[in-house]
Amino acid sequence: ATLMHDSGKASTTTYNEEGLPSQHGHEAAGVEPTKTFLAKLTNEPDLIGDVLFLVENHLRPLEWHKNPPSDSVFRRAINKYGMRRLNLLAAVSEADSTGRLHKMPDGKIIEPQNKEVTWFRNRLKEIQAKSPVDASGHLQQLVQGRDLIDLGFSPGKQFGRIIQDVASKQEDGTLTNKEEARQYVADTYKAVSKALLLQEWIENKQPPRPGLVPKSGDPEHPEHWILPDHDSESSKQSSKKPDKISIHEHSAVGFGAD
C-alpha cells in the first residue's frame, strides 16, 4: 500500500496557471493500477482487499483532521472496515506524511509533525472507550439472536432486520447500551409483530383449525396459534375470518419499511 498509494497521480495530474501541479482524485484513480500490480503477485483476497482499501483511503486521516466528522461517522467506519484496517490506514498515512520533508519557499526544511495521524488514532481510541469493539474489531452488537428469543420472538427473517436496525441506531448514537437496545426492540417491534403476523395470515395463510390466530414466530411460518381474546359476542364469530387489519394503523419499522 505504501508503494502504490500514489499510483493514481500519473493519470490525474493537472497544472494551474502558475504551473503548480494538482492530483485531485488520485486516491481513487490509484485503485485500478494497484489491482493490476497485485494480480502479478497474489490472488489472496484479504490481502488484495486490504491494499485496495488503504490506497483508496490513504488521505482520509488528513481530510478528517481538516474537517472533523462526528462520532457517528467514526462508529460507521469501525463497523464497516474494522479496527484492524483503520489502524493499518493510520500507519500508511503516517508513512506517507513522514516519508518526505517539507521545503519552504525560503529553503528552510520542516520535518513533518504527523499531528493529523496522531489525532486520527486518538479519535479512534475515544470512540472505542465509549463504544467497545469485539474480537473482530467491529462495534459490539447491542442485541443478538438470543436477546430476541429472550424477548419472546421466534427465529425468522425479522431477526436480521431488527439486528441491523439496532446496529444503525448504535452507529448514530441513539442507542448506547444493551438495556436501551432491548427496550427499543420491545417497544418498537413487539407492538407491531402481532398485527403483522395476523395480517400475513389473513392474506396468505390458513390456521391449523378455524378460529385461531398466530401468536408469534416468523410471519411466513407462524409457530404458535391461539384463540383470540373475545367476549360472548365475538365467541359466536370465532370461526369466521377476521376483518382485514390496516397495517398503516401500526408502526412497521423493520418489517419491510424503507
Side-chain angles (χ1 to χ4, degrees):
T2 55
L3 175 65
M4 297 297 296
H5 73 281
D6 280 342
S7 58
K9 285 188 173 182
S11 62
T12 58
T13 299
T14 59
Y15 296 88
N16 62 18
E17 295 179 353
E18 299 177 351
L20 298 177
S22 172
Q23 296 92 15
H24 179 71
H26 76 274
E27 316 95 277
V31 170
E32 287 304 318
T34 301
K35 284 182 180 179
T36 301
F37 175 74
L38 290 174
K40 300 176 181 179
L41 302 178
T42 181
N43 60 0
E44 172 53 50
D46 290 339
L47 174 60
I48 293 172
D50 283 346
V51 174
L52 295 180
F53 164 77
L54 296 170
V55 168
E56 187 171 10
N57 294 279
H58 71 272
L59 292 183
R60 189 68 59 86
L62 281 69
E63 294 170 345
W64 282 6
H65 177 265
K66 184 177 181 180
N67 297 293
S70 64
D71 286 3
S72 61
V73 173
F74 274 92
R75 283 191 291 265
R76 282 193 289 271
I78 291 173
N79 256 359
K80 184 175 182 179
Y81 303 117
M83 283 302 304
R84 186 183 67 84
R85 276 190 175 178
L86 293 177
N87 285 327
L88 285 173
L89 179 61
V92 170
S93 182
E94 181 178 20
D96 185 23
S97 176
T98 59
R100 62 180 182 273
L101 299 177
H102 299 276
K103 187 175 182 180
M104 305 303 290
D106 61 2
K108 183 179 179 180
I109 301 297
I110 298 179
E111 294 186 6
Q113 300 299 312
N114 204 35
K115 61 180 181 180
E116 297 88 353
V117 177
T118 299
W119 171 87
F120 182 76
R121 287 189 172 120
N122 287 337
R123 286 290 284 130
L124 289 175
K125 291 178 182 178
E126 291 173 6
I127 299 302
Q128 288 184 82
K130 293 183 285 188
S131 304
V133 300
D134 58 22
S136 70
H138 298 81
L139 297 180
Q140 288 182 359
Q141 288 185 316
L142 296 182
V143 295
Q144 297 177 321
R146 57 178 174 267
D147 296 299
L148 300 183
I149 293 174
D150 186 50
L151 287 170
F153 292 91
S154 295
K157 294 180 180 178
Q158 73 269 34
F159 270 34
R161 292 193 290 266
I162 294 173
I163 291 172
Q164 182 57 49
D165 180 31
V166 171
S168 177
K169 286 179 168 50
Q170 179 186 15
E171 291 172 357
D172 66 26
T174 303
L175 300 174
T176 61
N177 57 58
K178 181 177 284 290
E179 291 71 24
E180 290 179 354
R182 285 172 62 95
Q183 189 62 53
Y184 167 77
V185 171
D187 292 344
T188 304
Y189 290 95
K190 289 296 285 285
V192 303
S193 59
K194 290 182 180 179
L196 288 170
L197 284 168
L198 184 56
Q199 180 67 27
E200 283 283 338
W201 166 59
I202 290 171
E203 293 180 349
N204 305 309
K205 306 294 185 293
Q206 293 295 324
R209 62 186 176 86
L212 297 181
V213 296
K215 178 182 180 182
S216 63
D218 186 329
E220 293 191 1
H221 304 285
E223 296 179 1
H224 304 287
W225 299 83
I226 60 172
L227 283 170
D229 294 332
H230 55 276
D231 53 27
S232 58
E233 180 62 27
S234 61
S235 176
K236 299 176 183 179
Q237 302 176 359
S238 62
S239 62
K240 295 182 180 180
K241 195 173 187 180
D243 292 334
K244 188 170 184 179
I245 291 178
S246 173
I247 296 181
H248 298 293
E249 296 176 1
H250 304 270
S251 168
V253 177
F255 286 85
D258 292 331

